[in-house]
Amino acid sequence: MGFLPRTDQPDIEIDEQRDLSLTRIRGLEEQITMKVFDAEIRTRALLLASQSGLPFFEQSQAVQIDIMEGVARAHVEQARLLLFRLKDRLTPYAAIDPLFTMAPSENAILLQGPATSGGIKLRELFDTYIECGKSQWVPKTVASRSRQLQLLLDYFGDETPVAAITPPRLRDYRDALMKLRARKGPGPSLPFAARQTTDVNARIAPKTVLLLFETAKCFFRWAYQEAHLAADPSRDLQVKLPATKAKGKRSRKPFTGDQLGKIFGSPVFQGSLSITHRTRPGDKRIYDAKFWVPIIAHYTGLRLSEIIQLQLGDIIVIDGIDCISVSEDGGGERGSGDPVS
């Protein structure tokens, strides 16, 4: 069956489809000539190899390029088929590319949907993700991402094909995170199912759920961008936080002017006797964490945990103004792991 116009101006629609098909063919032929393929072709090649039980990334570079070229040529032939059907909706189509001249029917050159029973396993992709991250993240981010994604592995299992994690299954994972029991102090690590609780007051905070699920979303977004998945199953899933307090209402009382005067008028800031006698007045100002942390907290409102983890790379300049960048990944001088002192 050929192209069926949907408006009362079929000639314009057909011309438009012809232009789109010709543009598509030119783009694909350029990729084939250059041996450089876009994300769509890479993803289709990965899925095709997965459906055939062929470990794509274990193949040589030459074999990977051959697979991607074959997929690109299939797309070219599909576009040619559409061009042919714009002119003739009934005559059997004869493939031009010799790769498809033996195809028994037009359906033989149509690419199938994503496989769900094979392909790269969750643990393997997790290890690849973390290994890639080590060249971009500071060590504390590598550790936190590994810890947070371990819940994903515990829930689905190491051997689950990543392509089998569909949006409904990922939604169930999100909902299961909301029922996790909060850990209080050190103790044995329990399986995911054993940490579920019906006691709403004993569960982890909604913001913790948000952090855990956003980390999982980053993982699946990376998998899609790197052509490990045909689609991102987490794209439309969100964690809805409960309504916050109205603006202007404070959960804690602010320091009074007298209290701030006592804090910053103390020997720690005005001068102390020595580093071992910080509370006794003297002429020595010691510019360490005890000096800077309260000052940064006063001017920025950052939490103590955020301040003590600041690194040199978190100090940035915007429009000539020195600023502190607070982010999950953190800045820091690569490989130093040293906090700002």
Side-chain angles (χ1 to χ4, degrees), residues 41-314:
I41 298 300
R42 295 198 305 270
T43 299
R44 291 296 185 182
L46 178 64
L47 292 174
L48 187 63
S50 175
Q51 289 173 325
S52 303
L54 184 68
F56 183 81
F57 292 105
E58 294 180 12
Q59 308 307 309
S60 66
Q61 185 71 17
V63 172
Q64 292 182 24
I65 290 175
D66 285 345
I67 296 173
M68 290 187 285
E69 180 178 333
V71 171
R73 288 167 64 179
H75 278 270
V76 169
E77 203 64 38
Q78 280 183 309
R80 288 172 178 161
L81 172 60
L82 177 57
L83 285 173
F84 180 82
R85 287 285 173 248
L86 291 177
K87 298 183 296 183
D88 189 334
R89 295 176 55 206
L90 299 176
T91 303
Y93 174 73
I96 297 174
D97 191 322
L99 184 62
F100 308 106
T101 53
M102 297 301 293
S105 69
E106 294 174 1
N107 291 333
I109 63 173
L110 299 179
L111 301 177
Q112 301 179 15
T116 57
S117 60
I120 191 169
K121 302 297 191 292
L122 185 57
R123 166 61 69 174
E124 181 183 352
L125 192 59
F126 163 81
D127 291 340
T128 302
Y129 176 64
I130 296 300
E131 194 62 33
C132 290
K134 288 180 180 179
S135 64
Q136 306 172 43
W137 308 328
V138 293
K140 68 176 183 180
T141 301
V142 174
S144 65
R145 290 281 174 94
S146 300
R147 184 175 61 254
Q148 292 156 5
L149 286 174
Q150 186 59 50
L151 288 170
L152 187 74
L153 293 170
D154 291 345
Y155 183 84
F156 286 107
D158 291 355
E159 296 303 310
T160 297
V162 180
I165 303 177
T166 59
R169 295 186 68 186
L170 200 57
R171 179 198 60 214
D172 292 342
Y173 170 68
R174 178 202 63 189
D175 295 344
L177 285 176
M178 296 178 180
K179 299 177 183 178
L180 280 181
R181 181 186 301 275
R183 297 187 64 176
K184 297 187 180 298
S189 179
L190 298 176
F192 192 101
R195 288 188 59 189
Q196 300 281 287
T197 178
T198 57
D199 185 353
V200 176
N201 295 322
R203 292 173 178 170
I204 61 177
K207 287 186 177 180
T208 304
V209 176
L210 176 63
L211 172 63
L212 294 172
F213 195 65
E214 286 299 318
T215 299
K217 291 188 65 171
C218 288
F219 170 70
F220 284 106
R221 184 164 57 247
W222 168 86
Y224 169 65
Q225 292 171 345
E226 292 296 313
H228 293 293
L229 288 173
D232 177 3
S234 70
R235 185 185 63 180
D236 298 323
L237 296 175
Q238 303 290 336
V239 173
K240 294 183 179 180
L241 295 177
T244 56
K245 296 182 179 180
K247 290 183 177 181
K249 293 186 178 180
R250 297 179 181 271
S251 58
R252 297 184 181 91
K253 292 183 179 180
F255 287 107
T256 65
D258 288 342
Q259 289 172 329
L260 290 173
K262 289 180 180 179
I263 292 172
F264 293 109
S266 69
V268 172
F269 302 96
Q270 301 302 318
S272 56
L273 187 62
S274 67
I275 193 170
T276 57
H277 297 84
R278 299 293 292 277
T279 59
R280 297 175 62 181
D283 58 358
K284 299 184 183 299
R285 282 190 178 179
I286 302 166
Y287 300 103
D288 58 4
K290 292 181 179 179
F291 180 88
W292 286 114
V293 169
I295 293 177
I296 295 173
H298 175 57
Y299 280 101
T300 66
L302 291 176
R303 297 183 178 89
L304 174 62
S305 60
E306 294 171 329
I307 296 172
I308 62 176
Q309 293 185 78
L310 288 175
Q311 301 190 26
L312 294 176
D314 295 319

